[in-house]
Amino acid sequence: MGRAFVYVILGGGVAAGYAALEFTKKGVSHGELCIISEEPFLARKVAPYERPALSKGFLLPEAPARLPAFHTCVGANEERLTPKWYKEHGIELILGTRVKSADVRRKTLLTAAGETISYKYLIIATGARALRLEEFGVSGSDAENVCYLRDLADATRLADVMQTSTGGNAVVIGGGYIGMEVAASLVINKINVSMVFPEPHCMGRLFTPKIASYYEEFYKAKGVNFVKGTVLSSFVFDEDGKVTGVNLKDGTDLPADLVVVGIGIRPNTSLFEGQLTLEKGGIKVNSRLQTSNSSVYAVGDVASFPVKIFGESRRLEHVDAARKSARHAVAAIMEPDTTPEFDYLPFFYSRVFSFSWQFYGDNLGEVIYFGDFSGPSFGAYWVHKGHLVGSFLEGGSKEEYEAIAKVTRLKPAVDDLSELERQGLGFVVALSEKLPVAPVINVGGSMSTVVLEKPLYAWHATAGVVVAASIAAFAYWYGRRRRRW
């Protein structure tokens, strides 16, 4: 028993939905494309949806977000891809189905039900799974009030437990994205929150201590208790197996009516180990999102891809990378001769309470702060080896966020840090208005960047002309001599 398709997307998360929309834009024919998704949700089978909603709108106490409202691709203000949409476009949804083995040489997938599905092109969009406490030697994940948050079933379970915990105590294990966003939702639901994490401050992979302290102080004002520098060691259970308390390694004991665990993820690569080249925990791809097998592409959390602005490969765990890599892989498959290399500017964001921040680039080098840290808007630049490589902004306007993105991509030279600090946000705003936008070009493994010689006045017309000419020359040269895999 088997079926054959020209294109198969393995995985039913955010990337799958965006890839499907791109396939339709590129003219895929009815019956050529299928999506295989294992994700279960009670007795329902779920088409791809916007996963960020699970830690935000889905957990609100009033008018919470529910499907079909957040099916892809509403996150990019495009069509909402309901199951009806897939049917109308001739896309087969094979949902609630686990693939137990893959053979990339034979171009086949074998499902747990024994069906063989063959393909001409495969896009791996398997994403990642949430790390479990048991992997760190702590048991108790199966307790009814211990929750994770990775898929719709997790979010539904968490929302149900939250409803019975109003006025009670929640312990959030982890100080990253999930921890911070879920903690905010718990507070909004009138639940007392303690956050536990081993790092010295929240969002340790991205925030500096100064940026983190701004958000931590606000959370504290909302009643959140931060317990830093320690980890969970064990749970306290009642006679029914429900968690009633949390024991920490530093000896602290916390009462708990609800525990939420957000301690990281691990890419789902097991089906392809030994068949495709792996790198940095994910599946290695080139700048066309193509794996070591020319018929197989990988996107989203599972892909380790070249980030041209850094001159190295990275695996980025964020919805923006999933959306954009999925679309680019489809373009590379359908229009290989006209699709350029994937040139992605790393981007992270979050919206909790009244906050809204965006980060672009890399948090490497010396940090220059600007704005009013006692007010609603502030930010930071990262300068490494004389170039601005990262930008962070809280409370910005649409135009200001666009400005920091454009300028960070250009990696302008910075000769005077004090002048950069003095100009603050005005530096990127003025520069973005005066200079052309063009991708940073990777030549022979070294980074070619836009250089603004001292002084740093963004409105200097001569610098603008020189930059434009330089970029045009590099673009012409690079277009003729583009490196391949």
Side-chain angles (χ1 to χ4, degrees):
M1 182 174 67
R3 282 183 278 179
F5 298 88
V6 179
Y7 313 103
V8 171
I9 302 170
L10 179 58
V14 172
Y18 282 78
L21 181 59
E22 192 69 16
F23 267 119
T24 64
K25 291 180 178 180
K26 301 297 184 186
V28 69
S29 299
H30 282 225
E32 289 187 335
L33 170 64
C34 87
I35 296 174
I36 307 172
S37 176
E38 180 182 357
E39 182 171 331
F41 177 58
L42 303 177
R44 295 169 55 190
K45 296 179 179 180
V46 185
Y49 56 87
E50 300 284 356
R51 208 169 292 272
L54 301 181
S55 59
K56 300 180 182 69
F58 195 91
L59 301 178
L60 293 177
E62 298 179 5
R66 292 292 182 267
L67 291 175
F70 58 95
H71 278 298
T72 60
C73 297
V74 297
N77 298 315
E78 296 203 55
E79 293 181 74
R80 186 173 64 188
L81 310 190
T82 63
K84 181 182 178 182
W85 181 92
Y86 291 97
K87 185 176 182 180
E88 291 173 347
H89 288 80
I91 299 171
E92 185 79 16
L93 292 178
I94 305 176
L95 305 177
T97 299
R98 182 175 67 87
V99 171
K100 69 176 185 179
S101 66
D103 189 328
V104 299
R105 186 174 62 85
R106 292 187 172 88
K107 299 184 179 181
T108 59
L109 305 171
L110 179 64
T111 72
E115 181 181 17
T116 298
I117 297 174
S118 61
Y119 59 84
K120 182 177 180 181
Y121 294 100
L122 173 67
I123 296 179
I124 302 170
T126 47
R129 63 172 180 82
L131 289 172
R132 308 278 290 183
L133 290 171
E134 282 73 11
E135 296 175 68
F136 298 88
V138 178
S139 60
S141 288
D142 294 334
E144 65 180 74
N145 58 337
V146 174
C147 299
Y148 292 79
L149 187 56
R150 187 64 186 170
D151 57 30
L152 188 57
D154 290 339
T156 301
R157 182 166 176 259
L158 174 56
D160 290 342
V161 178
M162 286 170 61
Q163 289 181 359
T164 64
S165 302
T166 301
N169 299 297
V171 177
V172 176
I173 308 297
Y177 258 111
I178 293 299
M180 294 297 286
E181 294 186 352
V182 170
S185 296
L186 292 167
V187 168
I188 293 171
N189 280 272
K190 303 185 185 308
I191 299 172
N192 303 310
V193 180
S194 292
M195 292 186 66
V196 178
F197 47 86
E199 297 84 8
H201 58 79
C202 70
M203 295 292 290
R205 292 169 62 182
L206 184 61
F207 288 176
T208 67
K210 183 172 183 176
I211 293 174
S213 66
Y214 178 90
Y215 297 103
E216 288 181 8
E217 289 304 313
F218 184 90
Y219 273 60
K220 289 176 184 178
K222 292 288 186 179
V224 176
N225 173 39
F226 286 92
V227 186
K228 307 175 187 178
T230 190
V231 296
L232 172 70
S233 61
S234 63
F235 290 122
V236 178
F237 301 93
D238 65 13
E239 58 185 13
D240 297 321
K242 183 178 179 180
V243 170
T244 59
V246 168
N247 299 321
L248 305 182
K249 193 171 183 179
D250 68 355
T252 302
D253 299 325
L254 299 172
D257 300 290
L258 164 64
V259 178
V260 182
V261 182
I263 52 177
I265 61 175
R266 179 162 296 161
N268 293 315
T269 61
S270 60
L271 285 172
F272 303 97
E273 292 174 4
Q275 300 189 76
L276 300 176
T277 302
L278 304 184
E279 179 182 66
K280 298 185 177 180
I283 296 172
K284 181 180 180 180
V285 297
N286 62 13
S287 56
R288 299 173 65 80
L289 286 310
Q290 190 176 43
T291 71
S292 52
N293 182 292
S294 60
S295 298
V296 182
Y297 294 70
V299 298
D301 289 352
V302 78
S304 176
F305 63 91
V307 181
K308 294 173 71 173
I309 192 172
F310 299 149
E312 65 179 36
S313 290
R314 296 194 183 183
R315 191 180 58 80
L316 299 175
E317 300 169 0
H318 196 268
V319 64
D320 184 68
R323 291 167 178 161
K324 291 177 180 174
S325 62
R327 285 175 155 166
H328 197 90
V330 173
I333 292 170
M334 299 287 281
E335 299 173 348
D337 295 331
T338 58
T339 301
E341 296 182 336
F342 190 45
D343 186 10
Y344 181 72
L345 175 66
F347 168 52
F348 301 92
Y349 74 89
S350 185
R351 292 185 293 270
V352 294
F353 294 120
S354 58
F355 298 124
S356 178
W357 59 261
Q358 295 186 16
F359 173 90
Y360 292 89
D362 200 5
N363 57 347
L364 181 68
E366 188 166 355
V367 187
I368 304 299
Y369 298 102
F370 60 85
D372 183 4
F373 274 75
S374 63
S377 180
F378 63 89
Y381 299 125
W382 280 259
V383 178
H384 181 61
K385 295 183 178 179
H387 291 269
L388 190 151
V389 298
S391 300
F392 171 94
L393 179 61
E394 164 65 45
S397 66
K398 178 177 181 291
E399 293 74 20
E400 289 168 341
Y401 287 132
E402 290 175 350
I404 67 169
K406 288 162 65 176
V407 173
T408 303
R409 179 179 289 280
L410 291 174
K411 291 181 66 177
V414 176
D415 298 322
D416 189 338
L417 297 182
S418 61
E419 176 66 11
L420 178 63
E421 182 178 16
R422 187 191 68 79
Q423 292 189 39
L425 184 59
F427 171 75
V428 296
V429 172
L431 187 55
S432 68
E433 292 173 350
K434 298 297 181 181
L435 296 181
V437 178
V440 176
I441 301 166
N442 186 352
V443 181
S446 62
M447 299 308 298
S448 240
T449 62
V450 175
V451 177
L452 302 181
E453 298 297 342
K454 189 177 181 179
L456 289 174
Y457 299 117
W459 52 87
H460 196 293
T462 303
V465 172
V466 172
V467 170
S470 299
I471 292 173
F474 270 119
Y476 175 77
W477 184 91
Y478 185 69
R480 298 189 60 183
R481 302 190 53 159
R482 186 177 63 191
R483 292 188 305 146
R484 296 189 179 273
W485 178 262

